Amino acid sequence: MSAPGGAAIPTPQQIVRDYGDTVTGLCHRMIRNRELARDTAQEVWFEVLKGLPSFRGESNFSTWLYTVAKRTIDRHIHQERTMSIRFLNRFFEDHADNGMSEMREIPVEDRDQWFRLECDACLTAIIHCLDNETRMIYLMRLLTGLPYQELGGILESEPAVLRQRYSRASRRINSFLNDHCTLYNPDGRCRCKLNKPIRYLDLQQEYRSIRDASRRTLSLYRAGDYHRIRNLWEELPDRK
């Protein structure tokens, strides 16, 4: 099926396949409350499917879809709070002592999921050091990869202005991560709830690697296979 302007209209299945993750990520990062972010993403899809027959092909389909997404998200972000760097530091420190106890209450097989959810919430909080408008610019560029010319039509701003604001936002986010986040930079200053669990798990993994290598080494010594002993230790992960 084609729009009046001649552009092909994707099927709903194609739209979800090509844009689903980006729309979900955009809602999720713009809105800290997970339930509200999920509801907003569903509303975006409702608006897109409802408006699909009206798409006339006068712009790229991506421009039309992300314009619908932006307008939908804008209706829900008026209560989002811009966080200062001082607030973020206090926010993470207030939860610092809960990490080890929370991790130990979770079955080992579920810990990866716990880490992902906690890191995800942390990253969303960090991005909220940007005001709503700047955060939308930053995420639109970061998640969609669209050229500034096309973003200008979606965000109703000059491409040069968007480029400048995205660059400033990127520097601010990267600076915070580099100074604070120990996942981003091992020398970072943050002592959030994930700091101790991650260091603990890394030490445990290193211990297991060395323990297993030691046991295999003893076995090889008994067999007199010195060539394999040298190769075994060279295969250990670099822990520098």
Side-chain angles (χ1 to χ4, degrees):
M1 185 169 66
S2 298
I9 300 178
T11 65
Q13 293 79 8
Q14 290 172 324
I15 295 171
V16 172
R17 181 196 66 201
D18 295 341
Y19 301 99
D21 289 345
T22 304
V23 168
T24 298
L26 187 61
C27 295
H28 189 61
R29 298 296 181 209
M30 286 297 300
I31 301 172
R32 287 188 62 209
N33 182 284
R34 287 175 178 166
E35 291 298 325
L36 180 56
R38 188 180 299 115
D39 290 346
T40 303
Q42 291 176 350
E43 187 176 335
V44 170
W45 292 121
F46 174 78
E47 294 293 341
V48 166
L49 294 177
K50 184 179 71 172
L52 199 56
S54 67
F55 174 64
R56 304 188 62 81
E58 296 170 350
S59 64
N60 293 335
F61 182 78
S62 57
T63 301
W64 177 81
L65 183 142
Y66 288 127
T67 299
V68 173
K70 177 188 179 298
R71 290 173 180 169
T72 304
I73 293 170
D74 280 346
R75 292 199 292 267
H76 295 281
I77 61 172
H78 57 280
Q79 293 183 341
E80 292 298 297
R81 175 180 177 181
T82 302
M83 300 183 182
S84 68
I85 299 300
R86 179 179 295 179
F87 178 88
L88 285 172
N89 287 333
R90 190 169 64 251
F91 174 81
F92 295 130
E93 289 171 0
D94 286 347
H95 299 84
D97 295 332
N98 300 333
M100 291 297 291
S101 59
E102 282 190 25
M103 183 194 71
R104 285 170 171 152
E105 292 174 358
I106 297 171
V108 173
E109 62 271 19
D110 295 332
R111 287 179 183 174
D112 283 350
Q113 177 68 8
W114 178 74
F115 273 105
R116 282 195 293 270
L117 289 173
E118 292 297 333
C119 286
D120 184 74
C122 178
L123 182 58
T124 301
I126 291 171
I127 294 175
H128 274 65
C129 72
L130 307 173
D131 62 79
N132 288 343
E133 185 178 353
T134 303
R135 191 165 67 257
M136 178 68 79
I137 293 170
Y138 176 75
L139 290 171
M140 274 284 189
R141 173 63 178 172
L142 184 71
L143 296 178
T144 70
L146 293 175
Y148 287 105
Q149 193 68 36
E150 188 170 348
L151 285 177
I154 298 169
L155 301 172
E156 300 178 339
S157 183
E158 291 295 322
V161 174
L162 295 178
R163 185 189 303 274
Q164 185 179 58
R165 294 186 67 177
Y166 173 79
S167 179
R168 288 176 179 171
S170 295
R171 287 197 299 270
R172 185 172 186 182
I173 296 296
N174 290 336
S175 176
F176 182 88
L177 289 172
N178 190 63
D179 288 345
H180 295 79
C181 182
T182 51
L183 290 177
Y184 189 85
N185 173 13
D187 296 324
R189 294 175 293 175
C190 186
R191 295 295 178 266
C192 71
K193 67 189 298 183
L194 293 181
N195 188 276
K196 290 181 180 178
I198 287 170
R199 293 182 185 276
Y200 169 82
L201 291 178
D202 284 347
L203 287 173
Q204 293 300 302
Q205 180 60 48
E206 181 171 335
Y207 168 75
R208 284 195 295 269
S209 298
I210 295 175
R211 179 198 61 194
D212 292 343
S214 299
R215 289 176 177 174
R216 291 160 63 191
T217 299
L218 287 173
S219 175
L220 293 171
Y221 262 121
R222 293 185 185 119
D225 193 341
Y226 301 109
H227 175 71
R228 288 185 62 193
I229 291 171
R230 183 174 64 253
N231 291 343
L232 172 65
W233 286 98
E234 288 175 354
E235 291 170 2
L236 274 177
D238 185 0
R239 298 289 175 176
K240 294 180 181 179

